[in-house]
Amino acid sequence: MSEPTQFKPFVSPETNMKEFTVKSVVMGCIMGCLFGAANVYLALKAGLTVSASIPIAVIAITIGRKLLKTTILENNIIQTTGSASESIASGVAFTLPGFLFLSMVDNKSVGADFFNYITILILAIFGGLLGTLMMIPLRRSLIVKEHATLPYPEGTACAAVLKAGEKGGDIAKTAFIGLGVAMLYAFLQRVLHIISEVPEYTTKLTNKYFPAAKISGEITPEYLGVGYIIGPRIAGSLVAGGVLSWLVFNPLLATLIHDQTIIASQLIKLGYLKDLNTAGGPGGWNPATHLFDDTSDALYRAYVRQIGAGAVAAGGFITLMKTIPTIISSFKESIGSIKDRKAGNTQLRTEKDLNLKVVLFGSIALILLMAFIPMIPGDSIGSKLLLGVLVVIFGAFFVTVSSRIVGIIGSSNNPISGMTIATVMSTCLVFIGIGWSGKTYEPMVLVVGGMICIAAANAGATSQDLKTGFLVGATPRNQQLALFIGAIVSSLVIGVTIKILDKPTADMIAQGYTHAIGTDKFPGPQATLMATLIKGILSFNLDWQFVFVGVALAVVMELCGVNSLSFAVGAYLPLSTTLPIFCGGAIRAVVDWRRKKKGEVIAEDDLGKGNLFATGLVAGGALAGVVVALLTAGSENIATALEKVNLEPSLENGLGKYTYDLLGVIAFALMGLILYRTAMKKHDEI
């Protein structure tokens, strides 16, 4: 495939313009820290993340261009530096909390000691650097030579935002209005508690026709925004999985299991409950009556989540298998690009990459650092060297795969879970092949899977950034340096955020929880799945019957033409997470239908008012959640002060629980109406 000769970037190669400056890098790092924290929050709560490039580009246009007088190339460096946080946040949150869910020894996970700030920081930085390193030799092949065939949708949209900002328009205003609405709503909901956080209705266990069924919704602005961004198809698949779990499996199991001691015993086996004589755990076990306060939640934890885990594993594997032709062609292109590359042959500014020696020596340094850093799991330098070699080999392969896939379908649809599952399974098989089996090796497998997840996610985001740079006329070398800086700086905050969010509340401690991650507050679905797979392969201690039911469920969905991975994630997550996301997707469906009916062309989703407003809702809501968590965990005095302004008890006493929840639903509906009305408007100029 020949390199395009007719393409001309927005800024010509001959133009000498400010680009890699201190103010652009610093502002990018600040944005990366903010969106990194927000995406960790979203990943742990909903198992989803949102692209940071476009909202950061919008902020760069507003703050950078108007206040700091930045150029379009400096704005591109801002979004490039900041966007590294999104992928690293997702990779970390999707895998590393799995340390907490590995096999138990003396009432403690064998990986719990590795779930500390320093280890998380090291793995996040190494994974982020690996993803960027491996993309250096691929840029000319995938971004330049295949410019006409690989659109890289988010990268192209981000370039359009930067160009629009250079020309003028109202795109930034819409995003900031969404941010303001979300912050106000979050203040009323999470500080004053005027708005109910999770309205719910559960049928009684004694209900003859529909026992232990639960409908609930965590009615937050970030979920509404996420649903609008991902659209009705994916949002519908997510909520369908939730409906199956909470309105089909739960009532069915409640009808069949009359002795709740059986459910409690299953929870004890899974580590959720200490013993039958200890109160608490999921659903609120009462040892005196041998009944649960919330049987629906107990059934979900004891049985349904395992079915969901099996479905997610199968969905990820099916997604990966469907991309095998792309994987093969990607790997061939990767090898070809390295062979064709002639060092020192680039002259134009827009063709200057970092030297390939950086990739070679960087990879060697990564292997050696993993071998000698004591915080990395492993009983010897030799075993850690093997980890480093596996990471580099799998990294080179899946970075190529990730980059090519996101070039076609976008980063939002990148099957990172499938790649990570494949890595975890392959690493387990390597370990078993050399005689390493048992609980002590589980953390080592998770290290390989976690770093590949981070690297593949970062490679997808890096590819979009390099595409943006190619379109606007950036210097690739400067972008690659910015990505390295962004990966390191954002990892500092991501590690802090994940540890603070993991701090259990007083209610959780009373129920016997030592970590917030893994509870309904922060389910961490992917991380739990990775731990489940590792335990199953190395220790053979799973309830495979539930896992295989989940596998069959994913196959059924795929045969029905439904995205099995989205459906499986919905089956795994609480309905309270997927239902409000579906509301956002439904609003998107109505907006698209109305526009189509009016004869409008729906072609600029990323730049449309609805998408920008939804991005503001996601950013504002997630950041508000992080801030409240930081304040509550950081100071007992602040936590006490926040509790004093909590109006929920008085409102529930005065209005009643159901009226209080109903008012919350009305407030959420009003926010949805604002999103709909905003989405139906047109930009003054784009």
Side-chain angles (χ1 to χ4, degrees), residues 73-406:
L73 296 187
E74 285 180 306
N75 288 337
N76 181 55
I77 290 295
I78 292 172
Q79 73 84 17
T80 298
T81 308
S83 69
S85 65
E86 164 214 339
S87 52
I88 295 175
S90 62
V92 168
F94 288 167
T95 55
L96 298 190
F99 281 126
L100 301 174
F101 312 127
L102 297 174
S103 296
M104 304 294 287
V105 175
D106 298 327
N107 294 321
K108 181 181 177 183
S109 167
V110 294
D113 291 339
F114 298 107
F115 193 68
N116 59 74
Y117 175 72
I118 298 299
T119 302
I120 293 171
L121 175 65
I122 290 171
L123 296 179
I125 291 175
F126 283 4
L129 295 181
L130 180 65
T132 302
L133 271 177
M134 295 301 177
M135 269 305 301
I136 293 173
L138 296 177
R139 189 195 68 86
R140 289 179 61 81
S141 170
L142 298 180
I143 308 299
V144 180
K145 290 186 177 181
E146 297 206 42
H147 170 58
T149 56
L150 294 178
Y152 288 97
E154 287 96 343
T156 301
C158 190
V161 170
L162 291 172
K163 293 176 187 178
E166 197 72 7
K167 296 175 181 178
D170 67 340
I171 58 172
K173 179 181 176 182
T174 304
F176 278 103
I177 291 174
L179 184 74
V181 169
M183 296 294 280
L184 175 61
Y185 185 99
F187 176 76
L188 295 174
Q189 184 179 57
R190 293 176 175 140
V191 177
L192 300 180
H193 294 273
I194 294 173
I195 300 173
S196 173
E197 290 196 48
V198 189
E200 64 179 36
Y201 176 75
T202 307
T203 60
K204 294 181 180 180
L205 186 63
T206 54
N207 187 300
K208 183 178 179 181
Y209 304 103
F210 209 39
K214 178 186 284 188
I215 295 178
S216 58
E218 192 170 348
I219 48 175
T220 61
E222 60 267 28
Y223 284 169
L224 186 69
V226 165
Y228 188 92
I229 291 170
I230 64 177
R233 183 176 293 276
I234 298 177
S237 297
L238 282 170
V239 80
V243 168
L244 181 71
S245 292
W246 293 88
L247 301 181
V248 177
F249 285 153
N250 263 6
L252 179 62
L253 289 169
T255 303
L256 298 174
I257 303 174
H258 300 287
D259 184 1
Q260 296 198 25
T261 306
I262 297 174
I263 305 172
S265 299
Q266 177 68 10
L267 290 174
I268 293 169
K269 178 182 178 181
L270 296 173
Y272 290 123
L273 190 63
K274 185 178 180 181
D275 53 53
L276 292 176
N277 297 318
T278 303
W285 170 250
N286 187 329
T289 62
H290 275 221
L291 296 173
F292 286 96
D293 296 333
D294 185 351
T295 309
S296 178
D297 191 43
L299 287 168
Y300 163 71
R301 290 279 183 165
Y303 306 106
V304 179
R305 273 188 80 173
Q306 294 188 80
I307 296 173
V312 172
F317 188 73
I318 290 169
T319 304
L320 187 64
M321 292 299 291
K322 287 162 69 176
T323 61
I324 280 183
T326 305
I327 291 174
I328 295 172
S329 62
S330 298
F331 194 70
K332 288 180 179 178
E333 282 291 335
S334 174
I335 299 299
S337 68
I338 295 174
K339 288 181 178 179
D340 294 341
R341 181 75 184 268
K342 295 181 180 180
N345 196 33
T346 59
Q347 295 179 352
L348 294 176
R349 177 183 58 80
T350 52
E351 295 177 1
K352 292 182 179 178
D353 290 282
L354 287 173
N355 196 292
L356 282 178
K357 291 180 181 178
V358 174
V359 181
L360 176 62
F361 292 121
S363 301
I364 294 173
L366 189 65
I367 294 173
L368 293 176
L369 285 171
M370 288 190 66
F372 290 100
I373 289 179
M375 284 71 71
I376 302 292
D379 54 6
S380 66
I381 292 177
S383 64
K384 292 184 180 182
L385 276 173
L386 177 61
L387 289 187
V389 171
L390 288 174
V391 163
V392 170
I393 291 174
F394 286 135
F397 183 74
F398 284 117
V399 161
T400 303
V401 173
S402 176
S403 178
R404 194 170 189 87
I405 288 174
V406 302

Side-chain angles (χ1 to χ4, degrees), residues 414-545:
N414 195 1
I416 294 297
S417 294
M419 298 181 204
T420 310
I421 289 168
T423 301
V424 164
M425 289 181 170
S426 301
T427 305
C428 285
L429 292 176
V430 170
F431 279 20
I432 291 173
I434 58 179
W436 293 358
S437 61
K439 299 177 181 179
T440 56
Y441 295 102
E442 292 174 5
M444 296 172 65
V445 177
L446 189 61
V447 165
V448 179
M451 287 188 62
I452 296 308
C453 183
I454 297 167
N458 195 39
T462 297
S463 301
Q464 303 290 357
D465 292 332
L466 292 174
K467 181 70 167 187
T468 301
F470 177 70
L471 294 172
V472 300
T475 308
R477 180 179 178 276
N478 290 339
Q479 282 192 282
Q480 289 154 0
L481 289 172
L483 285 161
F484 284 138
I485 295 171
I488 295 171
V489 174
S490 61
S491 295
L492 296 170
V493 176
I494 288 168
V496 171
T497 305
I498 203 168
K499 287 299 293 180
I500 290 177
L501 295 179
D502 186 48
K503 186 175 180 180
T505 63
D507 290 339
M508 292 177 188
I509 294 172
Q511 294 179 48
Y513 293 112
T514 55
H515 298 274
I517 296 176
T519 67
D520 286 345
K521 186 176 182 181
F522 297 113
Q526 286 90 342
T528 310
L529 168 64
M530 299 308 163
T532 301
L533 283 174
I534 293 169
K535 288 189 294 184
I537 298 174
L538 291 184
S539 301
F540 303 99
N541 61 351
L542 280 181
D543 291 318
W544 285 104
Q545 65 272 33

Side-chain angles (χ1 to χ4, degrees), residues 42-65:
L42 270 179
L44 291 175
K45 283 185 73 69
L48 298 165
T49 57
V50 292
S51 175
S53 294
I54 292 174
I56 292 176
V58 169
I59 295 171
I61 291 168
T62 306
I63 299 177
R65 186 167 177 268

